[in-house]
Amino acid sequence: MPNSLVPPAGPQRVLALAQLTNSVGDGAFYVTSALYFTHVVGLDPARVGLGLTLAWGVGSLAGVPLGRLADRRGPRGTAVLLALATGLAVASFLVVRGFVPFVVAACAYATAQSGLAAARQALLAGLVSAGERTGLLAHLQATLNAGLAVGAGLGGLALQAGTRTAYLGVFALDAASFVVCAGLLLRLPAVAHARVERAERLGVLRDRPYAVVTLLNTVLLLRMPLLSLGIPLWITERTDAPAWLVAALFVLNTGAVMAFQVRTARGITGLATATRAVRWSGWVMLAACAVFALSAGVSSWVAVTVLVIGAALQVVAEMGQSAGSWQLSFDLAPADRVGEYQGFFGTGVTVARTAGPLVLTTLLVGWGTAGWLLLGAATLAASYAMGPAARVAAGRMQRDVRPLPVRVR
């Protein structure tokens, strides 16, 4: 598979275009939303944080039932409806004027986003062979980063203007991007819905081995808030490095994922290679944490050099962990309940985004070097535990596969 942002023609390319479309809108939304809600709407920053935490908590709970809906009613139609619902939720922010309406709109947004992610994964599983899924997800991740970078640039123009009209234009752009995304998803072939037995209604919630894999992946995902919170706080509070380095490290991360994520995922074809990639990424992440810790108490330019090296190691670990976890999330899910299982696996992202800021602030700002080493050790331990957990989950799935009944004449 070529190392390119453009996947093969057909359903894979349409999925990438849909990803690119709404990621541009999301990139603009992410860089402007906090200031819009605080400076334009007039909400207290603490209440904005509380509202978003509540919203993503609700969204994480909605992922499983909405993923199950995609399995039962068909992932394409469900994804289209949830893309439209996400656009409507974003549009509702244009008329929000108080805290309660903000929380309601944010809950609708988080719920639709969580369900859309699960439905799109089920749609991908139905359109792409098992051997091509991780490679396509690598393409989609690179496309996501490209779209977010473009969107962040557009959002930066709105921030520079600083007017209410500019902010509203960003929200309108994001809402429209999900409408276009829905239109692109409609171009894809329909995927037959699964027939799930009544006794299996809570299958993913009873699948303890898969839950353990999801939990371990959540620990590994604690690196997600590093670029947006952990490293910026570490740079400003614990090092003499200039503040502009925060933006430079973000560009480094985004560019590396765009350039190398597809290549990183190329060799991951099954459970063995996936767990090996996750385990290897744990060692690289431990090294990154140790390097980051060395940036404290040194001169400004030494700190810059050390932080760049740490960021390079961190993005290598990120790409390996991402590719391995994608393969595991699909290979360990029953073929007839991919949406349900992806909805559950996706809760790890929400938990990491919700708990990560508190964990990273405590470890990095509060504990300093010891906190970095503890974060690296926890990542390494979770990455090594992933192999046995995946083998148990695979064994459980094989035992649960029932042979087709033989009709005796």
PDB file of all heavy atoms in Angstrom, residues 188-209:
ATOM      1  N   LEU A 188     -21.894   5.493  -0.568  1.00  0.00           N
ATOM      2  CA  LEU A 188     -21.318   4.177  -0.331  1.00  0.00           C
ATOM      3  C   LEU A 188     -22.369   3.086  -0.506  1.00  0.00           C
ATOM      4  O   LEU A 188     -23.562   3.318  -0.318  1.00  0.00           O
ATOM      5  CB  LEU A 188     -20.749   4.100   1.089  1.00  0.00           C
ATOM      6  CG  LEU A 188     -19.533   4.986   1.354  1.00  0.00           C
ATOM      7  CD1 LEU A 188     -19.253   5.068   2.838  1.00  0.00           C
ATOM      8  CD2 LEU A 188     -18.309   4.449   0.612  1.00  0.00           C
ATOM      9  N   PRO A 189     -21.951   1.873  -0.847  1.00  0.00           N
ATOM     10  CA  PRO A 189     -22.909   0.772  -0.930  1.00  0.00           C
ATOM     11  C   PRO A 189     -23.512   0.476   0.439  1.00  0.00           C
ATOM     12  O   PRO A 189     -22.866   0.673   1.478  1.00  0.00           O
ATOM     13  CB  PRO A 189     -22.046  -0.411  -1.412  1.00  0.00           C
ATOM     14  CG  PRO A 189     -20.810   0.201  -1.977  1.00  0.00           C
ATOM     15  CD  PRO A 189     -20.586   1.476  -1.230  1.00  0.00           C
ATOM     16  N   ALA A 190     -24.745   0.019   0.440  1.00  0.00           N
ATOM     17  CA  ALA A 190     -25.396  -0.366   1.696  1.00  0.00           C
ATOM     18  C   ALA A 190     -24.766  -1.650   2.216  1.00  0.00           C
ATOM     19  O   ALA A 190     -24.339  -2.517   1.451  1.00  0.00           O
ATOM     20  CB  ALA A 190     -26.893  -0.554   1.487  1.00  0.00           C
ATOM     21  N   VAL A 191     -24.675  -1.761   3.533  1.00  0.00           N
ATOM     22  CA  VAL A 191     -24.154  -2.959   4.190  1.00  0.00           C
ATOM     23  C   VAL A 191     -25.304  -3.638   4.904  1.00  0.00           C
ATOM     24  O   VAL A 191     -26.066  -2.991   5.635  1.00  0.00           O
ATOM     25  CB  VAL A 191     -23.037  -2.604   5.191  1.00  0.00           C
ATOM     26  CG1 VAL A 191     -22.587  -3.841   5.963  1.00  0.00           C
ATOM     27  CG2 VAL A 191     -21.866  -1.966   4.457  1.00  0.00           C
ATOM     28  N   ALA A 192     -25.449  -4.927   4.685  1.00  0.00           N
ATOM     29  CA  ALA A 192     -26.560  -5.661   5.301  1.00  0.00           C
ATOM     30  C   ALA A 192     -26.453  -5.597   6.815  1.00  0.00           C
ATOM     31  O   ALA A 192     -25.373  -5.720   7.396  1.00  0.00           O
ATOM     32  CB  ALA A 192     -26.540  -7.117   4.830  1.00  0.00           C
ATOM     33  N   HIS A 193     -27.600  -5.401   7.463  1.00  0.00           N
ATOM     34  CA  HIS A 193     -27.595  -5.354   8.922  1.00  0.00           C
ATOM     35  C   HIS A 193     -27.515  -6.770   9.475  1.00  0.00           C
ATOM     36  O   HIS A 193     -27.869  -7.747   8.824  1.00  0.00           O
ATOM     37  CB  HIS A 193     -28.837  -4.632   9.459  1.00  0.00           C
ATOM     38  CG  HIS A 193     -30.134  -5.271   9.060  1.00  0.00           C
ATOM     39  ND1 HIS A 193     -30.648  -6.373   9.708  1.00  0.00           N
ATOM     40  CD2 HIS A 193     -31.006  -4.976   8.061  1.00  0.00           C
ATOM     41  CE1 HIS A 193     -31.806  -6.716   9.139  1.00  0.00           C
ATOM     42  NE2 HIS A 193     -32.035  -5.884   8.141  1.00  0.00           N
ATOM     43  N   ALA A 194     -27.028  -6.863  10.720  1.00  0.00           N
ATOM     44  CA  ALA A 194     -26.846  -8.163  11.348  1.00  0.00           C
ATOM     45  C   ALA A 194     -28.111  -8.582  12.075  1.00  0.00           C
ATOM     46  O   ALA A 194     -28.914  -7.753  12.493  1.00  0.00           O
ATOM     47  CB  ALA A 194     -25.672  -8.097  12.335  1.00  0.00           C
ATOM     48  N   ARG A 195     -28.265  -9.877  12.228  1.00  0.00           N
ATOM     49  CA  ARG A 195     -29.358 -10.431  13.012  1.00  0.00           C
ATOM     50  C   ARG A 195     -28.810 -10.884  14.354  1.00  0.00           C
ATOM     51  O   ARG A 195     -28.095 -11.879  14.439  1.00  0.00           O
ATOM     52  CB  ARG A 195     -30.002 -11.602  12.283  1.00  0.00           C
ATOM     53  CG  ARG A 195     -30.689 -11.206  10.985  1.00  0.00           C
ATOM     54  CD  ARG A 195     -31.363 -12.401  10.339  1.00  0.00           C
ATOM     55  NE  ARG A 195     -32.045 -12.010   9.115  1.00  0.00           N
ATOM     56  CZ  ARG A 195     -32.722 -12.857   8.342  1.00  0.00           C
ATOM     57  NH1 ARG A 195     -32.785 -14.142   8.676  1.00  0.00           N
ATOM     58  NH2 ARG A 195     -33.319 -12.424   7.250  1.00  0.00           N
ATOM     59  N   VAL A 196     -29.120 -10.137  15.386  1.00  0.00           N
ATOM     60  CA  VAL A 196     -28.586 -10.419  16.709  1.00  0.00           C
ATOM     61  C   VAL A 196     -29.669 -11.060  17.554  1.00  0.00           C
ATOM     62  O   VAL A 196     -30.783 -10.551  17.635  1.00  0.00           O
ATOM     63  CB  VAL A 196     -28.074  -9.119  17.388  1.00  0.00           C
ATOM     64  CG1 VAL A 196     -27.474  -9.435  18.738  1.00  0.00           C
ATOM     65  CG2 VAL A 196     -27.064  -8.429  16.489  1.00  0.00           C
ATOM     66  N   GLU A 197     -29.318 -12.189  18.170  1.00  0.00           N
ATOM     67  CA  GLU A 197     -30.298 -12.885  18.988  1.00  0.00           C
ATOM     68  C   GLU A 197     -30.634 -12.073  20.221  1.00  0.00           C
ATOM     69  O   GLU A 197     -29.825 -11.327  20.761  1.00  0.00           O
ATOM     70  CB  GLU A 197     -29.736 -14.247  19.415  1.00  0.00           C
ATOM     71  CG  GLU A 197     -29.393 -15.164  18.247  1.00  0.00           C
ATOM     72  CD  GLU A 197     -30.629 -15.592  17.477  1.00  0.00           C
ATOM     73  OE1 GLU A 197     -31.721 -15.612  18.075  1.00  0.00           O
ATOM     74  OE2 GLU A 197     -30.509 -15.895  16.274  1.00  0.00           O
ATOM     75  N   ARG A 198     -31.858 -12.286  20.745  1.00  0.00           N
ATOM     76  CA  ARG A 198     -32.311 -11.546  21.922  1.00  0.00           C
ATOM     77  C   ARG A 198     -31.393 -11.794  23.118  1.00  0.00           C
ATOM     78  O   ARG A 198     -31.110 -10.909  23.911  1.00  0.00           O
ATOM     79  CB  ARG A 198     -33.744 -11.965  22.263  1.00  0.00           C
ATOM     80  CG  ARG A 198     -34.339 -11.198  23.438  1.00  0.00           C
ATOM     81  CD  ARG A 198     -35.781 -11.617  23.675  1.00  0.00           C
ATOM     82  NE  ARG A 198     -36.619 -11.293  22.534  1.00  0.00           N
ATOM     83  CZ  ARG A 198     -37.191 -10.120  22.351  1.00  0.00           C
ATOM     84  NH1 ARG A 198     -37.011  -9.145  23.220  1.00  0.00           N
ATOM     85  NH2 ARG A 198     -37.931  -9.902  21.289  1.00  0.00           N
ATOM     86  N   ALA A 199     -30.890 -13.030  23.248  1.00  0.00           N
ATOM     87  CA  ALA A 199     -30.035 -13.354  24.389  1.00  0.00           C
ATOM     88  C   ALA A 199     -28.693 -12.631  24.345  1.00  0.00           C
ATOM     89  O   ALA A 199     -27.971 -12.593  25.319  1.00  0.00           O
ATOM     90  CB  ALA A 199     -29.784 -14.860  24.448  1.00  0.00           C
ATOM     91  N   GLU A 200     -28.375 -12.040  23.205  1.00  0.00           N
ATOM     92  CA  GLU A 200     -27.074 -11.391  23.043  1.00  0.00           C
ATOM     93  C   GLU A 200     -27.162  -9.872  23.151  1.00  0.00           C
ATOM     94  O   GLU A 200     -26.240  -9.173  22.783  1.00  0.00           O
ATOM     95  CB  GLU A 200     -26.481 -11.769  21.679  1.00  0.00           C
ATOM     96  CG  GLU A 200     -26.213 -13.267  21.529  1.00  0.00           C
ATOM     97  CD  GLU A 200     -25.794 -13.621  20.125  1.00  0.00           C
ATOM     98  OE1 GLU A 200     -26.092 -12.825  19.213  1.00  0.00           O
ATOM     99  OE2 GLU A 200     -25.185 -14.671  19.936  1.00  0.00           O
ATOM    100  N   ARG A 201     -28.277  -9.383  23.669  1.00  0.00           N
ATOM    101  CA  ARG A 201     -28.487  -7.933  23.667  1.00  0.00           C
ATOM    102  C   ARG A 201     -27.405  -7.174  24.421  1.00  0.00           C
ATOM    103  O   ARG A 201     -27.089  -6.056  24.066  1.00  0.00           O
ATOM    104  CB  ARG A 201     -29.865  -7.602  24.250  1.00  0.00           C
ATOM    105  CG  ARG A 201     -30.997  -7.911  23.280  1.00  0.00           C
ATOM    106  CD  ARG A 201     -32.315  -7.359  23.814  1.00  0.00           C
ATOM    107  NE  ARG A 201     -33.409  -7.654  22.906  1.00  0.00           N
ATOM    108  CZ  ARG A 201     -33.723  -6.941  21.836  1.00  0.00           C
ATOM    109  NH1 ARG A 201     -33.014  -5.887  21.547  1.00  0.00           N
ATOM    110  NH2 ARG A 201     -34.720  -7.272  21.059  1.00  0.00           N
ATOM    111  N   LEU A 202     -26.868  -7.753  25.488  1.00  0.00           N
ATOM    112  CA  LEU A 202     -25.832  -7.064  26.255  1.00  0.00           C
ATOM    113  C   LEU A 202     -24.487  -7.763  26.064  1.00  0.00           C
ATOM    114  O   LEU A 202     -23.663  -7.797  26.971  1.00  0.00           O
ATOM    115  CB  LEU A 202     -26.216  -7.016  27.734  1.00  0.00           C
ATOM    116  CG  LEU A 202     -27.494  -6.243  28.060  1.00  0.00           C
ATOM    117  CD1 LEU A 202     -27.786  -6.323  29.550  1.00  0.00           C
ATOM    118  CD2 LEU A 202     -27.376  -4.788  27.638  1.00  0.00           C
ATOM    119  N   GLY A 203     -24.284  -8.315  24.869  1.00  0.00           N
ATOM    120  CA  GLY A 203     -23.095  -9.122  24.628  1.00  0.00           C
ATOM    121  C   GLY A 203     -21.801  -8.431  24.987  1.00  0.00           C
ATOM    122  O   GLY A 203     -20.979  -8.988  25.706  1.00  0.00           O
ATOM    123  N   VAL A 204     -21.589  -7.213  24.525  1.00  0.00           N
ATOM    124  CA  VAL A 204     -20.316  -6.550  24.770  1.00  0.00           C
ATOM    125  C   VAL A 204     -20.145  -6.221  26.251  1.00  0.00           C
ATOM    126  O   VAL A 204     -19.021  -6.240  26.769  1.00  0.00           O
ATOM    127  CB  VAL A 204     -20.196  -5.275  23.911  1.00  0.00           C
ATOM    128  CG1 VAL A 204     -21.168  -4.196  24.367  1.00  0.00           C
ATOM    129  CG2 VAL A 204     -18.765  -4.752  23.937  1.00  0.00           C
ATOM    130  N   LEU A 205     -21.224  -5.963  26.954  1.00  0.00           N
ATOM    131  CA  LEU A 205     -21.120  -5.646  28.376  1.00  0.00           C
ATOM    132  C   LEU A 205     -20.814  -6.882  29.204  1.00  0.00           C
ATOM    133  O   LEU A 205     -20.322  -6.765  30.330  1.00  0.00           O
ATOM    134  CB  LEU A 205     -22.420  -4.992  28.863  1.00  0.00           C
ATOM    135  CG  LEU A 205     -22.807  -3.697  28.146  1.00  0.00           C
ATOM    136  CD1 LEU A 205     -24.101  -3.139  28.718  1.00  0.00           C
ATOM    137  CD2 LEU A 205     -21.692  -2.661  28.259  1.00  0.00           C
ATOM    138  N   ARG A 206     -21.102  -8.062  28.663  1.00  0.00           N
ATOM    139  CA  ARG A 206     -20.786  -9.301  29.369  1.00  0.00           C
ATOM    140  C   ARG A 206     -19.446  -9.882  28.928  1.00  0.00           C
ATOM    141  O   ARG A 206     -18.973 -10.850  29.524  1.00  0.00           O
ATOM    142  CB  ARG A 206     -21.873 -10.353  29.105  1.00  0.00           C
ATOM    143  CG  ARG A 206     -23.240 -10.003  29.647  1.00  0.00           C
ATOM    144  CD  ARG A 206     -24.093 -11.265  29.793  1.00  0.00           C
ATOM    145  NE  ARG A 206     -24.014 -12.093  28.591  1.00  0.00           N
ATOM    146  CZ  ARG A 206     -24.877 -12.026  27.575  1.00  0.00           C
ATOM    147  NH1 ARG A 206     -25.870 -11.148  27.615  1.00  0.00           N
ATOM    148  NH2 ARG A 206     -24.745 -12.805  26.518  1.00  0.00           N
ATOM    149  N   ASP A 207     -18.859  -9.324  27.911  1.00  0.00           N
ATOM    150  CA  ASP A 207     -17.604  -9.845  27.370  1.00  0.00           C
ATOM    151  C   ASP A 207     -16.433  -9.259  28.170  1.00  0.00           C
ATOM    152  O   ASP A 207     -15.822  -8.259  27.788  1.00  0.00           O
ATOM    153  CB  ASP A 207     -17.481  -9.483  25.886  1.00  0.00           C
ATOM    154  CG  ASP A 207     -16.374 -10.242  25.184  1.00  0.00           C
ATOM    155  OD1 ASP A 207     -15.455 -10.702  25.879  1.00  0.00           O
ATOM    156  OD2 ASP A 207     -16.430 -10.373  23.952  1.00  0.00           O
ATOM    157  N   ARG A 208     -16.117  -9.887  29.282  1.00  0.00           N
ATOM    158  CA  ARG A 208     -15.090  -9.357  30.178  1.00  0.00           C
ATOM    159  C   ARG A 208     -13.703  -9.296  29.539  1.00  0.00           C
ATOM    160  O   ARG A 208     -12.969  -8.330  29.758  1.00  0.00           O
ATOM    161  CB  ARG A 208     -15.057 -10.171  31.468  1.00  0.00           C
ATOM    162  CG  ARG A 208     -16.325 -10.002  32.312  1.00  0.00           C
ATOM    163  CD  ARG A 208     -16.250 -10.811  33.587  1.00  0.00           C
ATOM    164  NE  ARG A 208     -17.475 -10.676  34.368  1.00  0.00           N
ATOM    165  CZ  ARG A 208     -17.705 -11.320  35.500  1.00  0.00           C
ATOM    166  NH1 ARG A 208     -16.800 -12.154  35.981  1.00  0.00           N
ATOM    167  NH2 ARG A 208     -18.849 -11.138  36.149  1.00  0.00           N
ATOM    168  N   PRO A 209     -13.290 -10.319  28.779  1.00  0.00           N
ATOM    169  CA  PRO A 209     -11.966 -10.205  28.141  1.00  0.00           C
ATOM    170  C   PRO A 209     -11.856  -8.985  27.223  1.00  0.00           C
ATOM    171  O   PRO A 209     -10.827  -8.300  27.216  1.00  0.00           O
ATOM    172  CB  PRO A 209     -11.851 -11.514  27.357  1.00  0.00           C
ATOM    173  CG  PRO A 209     -12.704 -12.478  28.106  1.00  0.00           C
ATOM    174  CD  PRO A 209     -13.869 -11.665  28.581  1.00  0.00           C
TER     175      PRO A 209
END
